[in-house]
Amino acid sequence: MNILKEKILSEGIVLSDQVLKVDAFLNHQIDPQLMKHIGHEFAERFRGQGITKIVTIEASGIAPAVMAGLELGIPVIFARKFQSLTLKNDLLISKVFSFTKQTESTIAISAKHLTASDHVLVIDDFLANGHAAKALIDLISQAGASIAGLGIVIEKSFQDGRALLESEGYRVESLARVGSLADGSVTFID
Ligand code: 5GP
């Protein structure tokens, strides 16, 4: 997706050979026009597959997921990273190791929003080693729902997430695939 790659090249900041900062358009300030294109692209890739819900994780997955949900005409559920006062009963719960914070946290979705008849598209901002994706898959599986695939805005292809997910049979669609962050610059693989 060229518009996304151009944005990464012009506004992304390489923090290390492992971490890309995109606070200018995805992780802090959000570019709504870019999100609209991203939602459209996810919808094009996953349309016509009987998808009933999108599941993402707060906070940075929400913007691209909502735009994809708008295009596909389906609701978006975001897993919450803590048990809020309003999120108490009938919870689906999983643990996720955070790549950026290097700590483990609990994520939860209320069971009332997902059922065994749902067919789910998982969306997230980044794919690194696949921990967030696996935790979301775990929540969805607890509900007995099926998974159509994963839509990722930025995949760091030099980390293990895609291989892990594909080895378990999941379809992974990434809009930008970063092959390297070495020497302070971003290189794409396709
Ligand atoms: P994973 O669980 O696949 O190891 O990492 C994915 C999660 O960690 C994403 O939800 C994202 O929030 C965060 N993440 C991983 N790598 C990066 C990165 O290079 N930059 C930013 N901003 N977030 C990242």
Side-chain angles (χ1 to χ4, degrees):
M1 199 188 165
N2 286 338
I3 180 176
L4 172 62
K5 290 182 190 169
E6 282 162 17
K7 196 81 168 170
I8 293 169
L9 291 176
S10 62
E11 296 186 28
I13 297 169
V14 178
L15 287 186
S16 71
D17 60 4
Q18 301 289 307
V19 181
L20 176 65
K21 182 170 175 169
V22 289
D23 278 19
F25 60 90
L26 179 59
N27 289 146
H28 191 20
Q29 174 171 264
I30 293 173
D31 179 338
Q33 201 62 38
L34 178 65
M35 291 306 128
K36 192 175 171 193
H37 286 292
I38 285 170
H40 179 77
E41 183 66 27
F42 280 138
E44 287 299 299
R45 296 190 190 203
F46 287 99
R47 207 184 293 284
Q49 293 178 31
I51 297 170
T52 59
K53 298 264 169 89
I54 292 174
V55 168
T56 188
I57 182 166
E58 68 176 357
S60 296
I62 296 175
V66 166
M67 298 316 275
L70 188 64
E71 287 270 343
L72 290 168
I74 54 176
V76 176
I77 306 163
F78 61 94
R80 304 182 84 154
K81 285 184 180 156
F82 57 91
Q83 284 179 238
S84 81
L85 288 175
T86 56
L87 198 66
K88 267 188 173 161
N89 301 317
D90 295 330
L91 290 182
L92 308 170
I93 294 173
S94 193
K95 298 256 187 223
V96 60
F97 181 78
S98 165
F99 178 83
T100 42
K101 298 192 189 98
Q102 295 284 305
T103 54
E104 192 177 67
S105 60
T106 302
I107 61 166
I109 283 177
S110 169
K112 72 176 177 213
H113 297 307
L114 268 184
T115 70
S117 59
D118 279 314
H119 192 44
V120 179
L121 169 61
V122 176
I123 285 184
D124 203 6
D125 60 339
F126 272 90
L127 176 63
N129 293 311
H131 293 122
K134 285 293 304 260
L136 292 174
I137 288 169
D138 181 29
L139 292 181
I140 295 160
S141 303
Q142 287 177 41
S146 54
I147 293 164
L150 296 101
I152 302 295
V153 180
I154 304 172
E155 170 189 316
K156 290 181 293 174
S157 307
F158 54 88
Q159 292 167 324
D160 296 334
R162 172 181 280 268
L164 174 77
L165 295 167
E166 286 186 337
S167 74
E168 297 185 9
Y170 296 109
R171 175 181 169 199
V172 180
E173 290 286 340
S174 303
L175 305 188
R177 300 185 69 194
V178 174
S180 167
L181 294 174
D183 303 323
S185 60
V186 181
T187 312
F188 298 105
I189 61 169
D190 57 14

